[in-house]
């Protein structure tokens, strides 16, 4: 089992989410990576965000530096194992992400929540649709005066 810090980057102005085409998994996923021994999971988000996207991690007002979602998943591709993933929510303007780790990702895409939900399950992390629905609910609650 591996502990993973995923981070979903949200452009709060447009409501679009950043997904990456992960080479090893062959899926569209949030960015992120394994938490190093003795590393705090939020510190892993900060490190991975800098390494993979070249930007500073800015926690969402919805969650702060706390995970928004937790999943347990058997990985695909070489070296199959189980990932326990903490999903964090970050804010960034889509225009600020101009590069990405091309050794790890084939491409990046910005999608609205509706576009994510239209994507076939087989192309995404198996929990991406559930995450997206939870995020839609949280954002709607915030716009209605909730947290």
């Amino acid at each position: 089992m591996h502990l993973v810090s995923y981070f979903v980057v949200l452009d709060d102005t447009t409501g679009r989410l950043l997904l990456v085409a992960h080479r090893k998994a062959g899926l569209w996923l949030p960015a992120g990576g394994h938490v190093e021994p003795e590393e705090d999971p939020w510190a892993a988000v900060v490190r991975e965000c800098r390494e993979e996207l070249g930007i500073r991690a800015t926690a969402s007002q919805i969650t702060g530096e706390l995970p928004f979602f937790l999943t347990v998943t058997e990985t695909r591709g070489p070296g199959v194992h189980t990932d326990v993933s903490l999903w964090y929510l970050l804010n960034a303007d889509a225009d600020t992400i101009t590069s990405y780790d091309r050794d790890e990702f084939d491409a990046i895409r910005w999608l609205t929540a509706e576009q994510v939900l239209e994507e076939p399950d087989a192309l995404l992390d198996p929990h991406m649709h559930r995450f997206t629905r939870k995020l839609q609910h949280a954002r709607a609650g915030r716009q209605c005066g909730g947290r």
Side-chain angles (χ1 to χ4, degrees), residues 17-35:
L17 306 173
L18 178 70
L19 295 181
V20 298
H22 195 275
R23 287 181 189 269
K24 285 184 185 174
L27 297 170
W28 286 94
L29 310 170
H34 291 108
V35 178

Side-chain angles (χ1 to χ4, degrees), residues 4 30 50 56 67 71 74 77 79 94 96 99 115 123 137 144:
V4 172
R50 186 177 51 254
R56 185 176 142 264
T71 59
E74 187 170 309
T96 64
S99 66
Q115 289 171 321
L123 299 180
H137 181 72
C144 295

Side-chain angles (χ1 to χ4, degrees), residues 9-142:
V9 181
L10 168 67
D11 181 326
D12 210 20
T13 305
T14 64
R16 293 182 299 158
L17 306 173
L18 178 70
L19 295 181
V20 298
H22 195 275
R23 287 181 189 269
K24 285 184 185 174
L27 297 170
W28 286 94
L29 310 170
H34 291 108
V35 178
E36 300 295 332
E38 316 250 344
E39 183 179 34
D40 178 82
W42 173 253
V45 169
V46 171
R47 176 180 51 77
E48 293 282 351
C49 191
R50 186 177 51 254
E51 291 173 2
E52 295 181 349
L53 301 177
I55 63 167
R56 185 176 142 264
T58 302
S60 167
Q61 291 181 346
I62 296 171
T63 59
E65 295 179 4
L66 299 174
F68 181 67
F69 201 60
L70 170 73
T71 59
V72 178
T73 310
E74 187 170 309
T75 64
R76 294 174 39 166
V80 173
H81 58 274
T82 300
D83 280 344
V84 177
S85 302
L86 301 169
W87 296 48
Y88 291 85
L89 188 60
L90 304 181
N91 277 355
D93 184 316
D95 295 335
T96 64
I97 299 179
T98 58
S99 66
Y100 58 90
D101 183 345
R102 294 181 188 276
D103 291 334
E104 205 162 335
F105 312 134
D106 286 322
I108 62 174
R109 285 171 69 194
W110 287 94
L111 301 168
T112 65
E114 293 76 17
Q115 289 171 321
V116 171
L117 294 172
E118 290 171 359
E119 288 289 316
D121 284 335
L123 299 180
L124 303 171
D125 178 283
H127 306 285
M128 195 68 218
H129 284 161
R130 194 164 53 96
F131 170 88
T132 303
R133 285 190 294 273
K134 181 176 180 177
L135 178 59
Q136 283 179 312
H137 181 72
R139 291 186 78 220
R142 189 177 64 159

